[in-house]
Amino acid sequence: MSKVIRIGGAGGFLGDSSVAAPQLLAGGNLDYMILDYLAEATMAPLGQLKQVRPDQGYARDFTEWVWKDNLRELKEQGVRVVTNAGGVNPEACRERMERHAADAGLSFKIAIVTGDDLLDRVPDFATADTAEMFSGAPFPSPEKIWTTNAYLGGGPIAAALAAGADVVITGRVVDSALTLGPLMHEFGWGADDHDRLSAGSLAGHVIECGAQATGGLFTDWEKVPDWAHIGYPIIECHADGDFVVTKPEGTGGLISPAAVSEQILYEVGDPQAYALPDVVCDFSQLSVTADGDERVRVSNAKGYPPTGKLKTCVTYENGYRFIGIMPVVGRDAAKKAQRQAEAVITRVNEMLRNRNLPPLRDTRVELLGTESSYGAQANPALAATREVIARIGAEHDDEAALAIMMREFDSPTTSMSVGSTGWFGARPTISPVAQVFSFLVDGGSVTGEVSLRGDTVTVANPAPATPFDPAMIERPVVDDTAEGDDLVEVQLIDIAWARSGDKGDAFNVAVIARRPEFLPWIRAALTEEAVKAFFAHEFEGAAHPEVRRYDLPGMNAINLHCIQSLGGGQFASLRLDPLAKGKGQQLLDMRVKVPRHLLN
């Protein structure tokens, strides 16, 4: 029989459930377990923490919950672990793990991968007039910077495993490298095996978000059984790149082509130019099919040579933020809450002017309960609701200015809107704005390093003889025919699934036809212009708003990439949904015309 490698995805973010690792160890029959903890914005708090406490800066969720609680089972089963829990301090992470292992009377060969930290090169980047790769913004002030990390690929991880590591702890690598590295090691994939490297990267992309691949966030959520015991994903990987997605037997959740397809396109821009350190992936002709009960097979990923560049992300302090929550109940609750919020902002700006301070640089009022995040698509009947929560956000370059905002925020409870209940929970606080700045560096200027029991191995980044060029892409030819009589109007959710996610100050919405014959009608309705109009409120303040549409005929899908649409994105945004988790849900309410006979 051909070799099959089983990899379990036991963590999708810093804060994921601690039930995943023991569940996979109990029923997974794994060769490897991967855990992904690092989002772009996660690097900022880890960097801040390390500046204050040099022994910190790694994911303690891993060391104190996953590692400490599952040491013996990992050892007995021989499951090898690969994780980016090292954050900005892999060395300290390994030291903590070794202490836990020693306390349990166990020993593991723990390798760390470093070389991603480019903080010492910040002065060079600053003097080189480095521009942000998406917005063109200038490089931030070096004294404001917390972290600067290049995204490494799977090569250093594969080298660590080849050196005999039981556990590989990395700093910043692309999320999918946690899976690609083991597959490169196990199957001997070389730098020119572009299709296989693309497939292995896709396998990692599917399981890097944990239970999102097994029914989590699925459009048809009512069909997903037993959320409390949802199964975490397992992939069975083959040497040719094909893989099967499944989960431990007897667990909740759902393995279906639709659920897996949603995860495949989560947080993807151009699906034919998904650039990673080891390969540029093309997912346009993927096949995603049922392969038995609770099993989905994914095949036909294509790849191009890598670019030779590494994406590098800086996190830095960009002023300060205040977010306050004020419930208002009673007649005309929404009108009262809006007027009250505006009055507080007016008062604070006047107080700042009297102190010779600049006005608040940005403010946002959202009335939760009135669909304020829907813009023009909000249900107008909700404006008459008798219970809302006013969410008021403000930013300023000076922390002292927001101290005035914090002081005045509560005053309306006795002087403005009747029905203001006062704060609930802790009082609002002021926090630094964590901004992300992305740019490309020459991969040849960054070297991965593997450290294992006193030995160090350097691993160069891929340097293709012919780097990726967009001209290499062959765009699919799709049937634009959407002709028919007796058209009826339905909601998009009646004929499609959708998943959305953030990409910096942009978001994508992948729309997957429930049946192939629906796809032409979906394309006819979801033009770039129509989608831009639907989400007009999301492009507020954008200098160059844009919607780009891409076709994936293999999956009967399209991908919509909305540029400059999140008000800065992640921790830099004042919006209710800065990670774009709900944009797909909102788009599914769009009205679409289809022939009546297709609905029967």
Side-chain angles (χ1 to χ4, degrees):
M1 295 180 64
S2 60
K3 184 177 182 179
V4 177
I5 300 299
R6 287 172 60 89
I7 303 176
F13 65 102
L14 187 61
D16 204 349
S17 175
S18 59
V19 307
Q23 178 202 92
L24 288 168
L25 288 170
N29 188 26
L30 303 179
D31 297 298
Y32 292 88
M33 178 187 293
I34 69 147
L35 302 101
D36 174 25
Y37 292 100
L38 303 182
E40 289 179 344
T42 309
M43 301 298 285
L46 293 179
Q48 293 173 71
L49 182 59
K50 186 182 179 184
Q51 287 183 2
V52 178
R53 294 188 56 184
D55 64 331
Q56 298 297 311
Y58 58 89
R60 289 180 64 89
D61 280 18
F62 173 73
T63 59
E64 309 312 301
W65 291 83
V66 175
W67 179 249
K68 184 178 179 181
D69 291 350
N70 298 282
L71 277 168
R72 295 193 180 281
E73 202 63 38
L74 288 166
K75 188 71 173 181
E76 290 173 7
Q77 293 190 25
V79 176
R80 303 172 88 173
V81 177
V82 183
T83 175
N84 55 17
V88 297
N89 203 347
E91 296 89 347
C93 184
R94 176 167 63 181
E95 290 174 8
R96 183 68 175 171
M97 293 169 64
E98 288 175 338
R99 286 199 297 272
H100 284 318
D103 290 344
L106 299 173
S107 176
F108 293 82
K109 290 182 284 186
I110 305 174
I112 61 172
V113 173
T114 58
D116 60 296
D117 190 340
L118 306 185
L119 201 56
D120 60 348
R121 293 176 58 181
V122 162
D124 295 333
F125 297 141
T127 57
D129 295 327
T130 304
E132 214 279 336
M133 62 186 294
F134 301 113
S135 69
F139 198 78
S141 299
E143 64 273 12
K144 297 286 188 180
I145 291 175
W146 294 311
T147 63
T148 304
N149 296 80
Y151 287 72
L152 302 182
I157 295 172
L161 296 170
D166 301 315
V167 183
V168 182
I169 305 298
T170 78
R172 200 56 175 116
V173 298
V174 290
D175 302 342
S176 56
L178 302 176
T179 297
L180 180 61
L183 297 180
M184 293 169 69
H185 166 64
E186 293 287 348
F187 296 128
W189 292 343
D192 294 331
D193 290 326
H194 300 137
D195 289 350
R196 292 181 176 86
L197 294 172
S198 177
S201 298
L202 177 59
H205 178 70
V206 168
I207 66 169
E208 71 195 29
C209 293
Q212 281 186 198
T214 54
L217 310 192
F218 184 41
T219 298
D220 295 344
W221 60 272
E222 291 178 300
K223 297 180 180 179
V224 182
D226 199 1
W227 275 349
H229 307 101
I230 192 167
Y232 277 72
I234 299 169
I235 47 173
E236 299 174 355
C237 304
H238 299 260
D240 63 359
D242 285 10
F243 60 93
V244 172
V245 186
T246 185
K247 61 183 181 68
E249 185 176 353
T251 58
L254 175 70
I255 301 291
S256 73
V260 171
S261 293
E262 283 192 9
Q263 178 56 25
I264 285 173
L265 297 179
Y266 175 63
E267 295 185 340
V268 169
D270 184 347
Q272 292 192 268
Y274 189 68
L276 299 168
D278 299 294
V279 65
V280 173
C281 306
D282 184 341
F283 303 147
S284 62
Q285 300 295 341
L286 284 180
S287 172
V288 184
T289 57
D291 191 57
D293 187 37
E294 299 282 19
R295 294 171 61 85
V296 167
R297 179 174 292 273
V298 181
S299 58
N300 207 35
K302 302 299 180 183
Y304 301 104
T307 64
K309 305 287 186 181
L310 296 181
K311 182 181 178 182
T312 300
C313 281
V314 172
T315 64
Y316 66 100
E317 178 188 302
N318 185 19
Y320 295 87
R321 158 184 298 159
F322 165 95
I323 294 180
I325 303 294
M326 178 71 76
V328 178
V329 299
R331 297 171 59 88
D332 296 320
K335 291 181 180 179
K336 292 184 295 186
Q338 183 72 35
R339 180 181 172 188
Q340 178 169 277
E342 292 172 353
V344 170
I345 292 170
T346 297
R347 175 184 288 179
V348 169
N349 275 327
E350 289 174 353
M351 295 175 72
L352 292 175
R353 184 171 65 248
N354 292 337
R355 289 164 171 77
N356 293 318
L357 290 171
L360 297 168
R361 73 181 190 192
D362 194 14
T363 61
R364 190 171 184 87
V365 177
E366 293 177 309
L367 304 182
L368 311 188
T370 66
E371 296 187 355
S372 59
S373 68
Y374 279 71
Q377 313 304 326
N379 181 353
L382 294 177
T385 184
R386 295 177 295 180
E387 182 179 273
V388 299
I389 295 176
R391 181 180 182 273
I392 305 172
E395 290 183 356
H396 201 282
D397 292 334
D398 190 339
E399 185 177 5
L402 290 184
I404 297 172
M405 181 75 179
M406 186 167 66
R407 175 67 182 80
E408 290 299 316
F409 178 74
D410 297 323
S411 63
T413 56
T414 59
S415 61
M416 294 187 189
S417 170
V418 61
S420 297
T421 70
W423 69 86
F424 56 93
R427 297 187 69 177
T429 59
I430 301 169
S431 59
V433 174
Q435 191 87 33
V436 174
F437 180 99
S438 302
F439 63 105
L440 298 176
V441 298
D442 180 7
S445 71
V446 180
T447 302
E449 292 190 355
V450 176
S451 169
L452 177 60
R453 294 193 167 179
D455 294 328
T456 300
V457 176
T458 60
V459 181
N461 287 293
T466 305
F468 171 74
D469 186 318
M472 296 176 177
I473 298 175
E474 295 183 15
R475 296 294 181 185
V477 177
V478 286
D479 183 3
D480 271 330
T481 304
E483 298 177 352
D485 300 322
D486 193 19
L487 301 183
V488 294
E489 197 171 69
V490 299
Q491 288 186 313
L492 180 60
I493 194 171
D494 295 324
I495 61 172
W497 299 283
R499 172 74 65 81
S500 58
D502 70 306
K503 297 290 293 181
D505 190 20
F507 67 84
N508 85 300
V509 183
V511 181
I512 305 156
R514 291 178 183 267
R515 300 207 310 267
E517 54 265 36
F518 289 142
L519 185 58
W521 299 94
I522 292 171
R523 293 185 79 257
L526 272 61
T527 64
E528 289 94 335
E529 295 78 13
V531 173
K532 187 176 179 181
F534 186 91
F535 284 125
H537 59 290
E538 301 293 358
F539 296 103
E540 179 182 324
H544 303 288
E546 183 183 0
V547 175
R548 301 171 187 167
R549 188 177 73 176
Y550 300 100
D551 290 296
L552 297 98
M555 298 172 65
N556 298 308
I558 60 173
N559 193 44
L560 302 160
H561 195 192
C562 301
I563 311 298
Q564 295 187 8
S565 57
L566 288 177
Q570 297 194 0
F571 292 166
S573 175
L574 287 175
R575 301 184 183 188
L576 176 65
D577 186 16
L579 300 181
K581 297 293 188 180
K583 303 311 170 193
Q585 287 287 292
Q586 293 174 343
L587 187 63
L588 285 169
D589 288 336
M590 190 173 181
R591 310 297 294 187
V592 179
K593 291 183 178 181
V594 296
R596 188 184 302 275
H597 73 87
L598 291 183
L599 301 176
N600 295 331

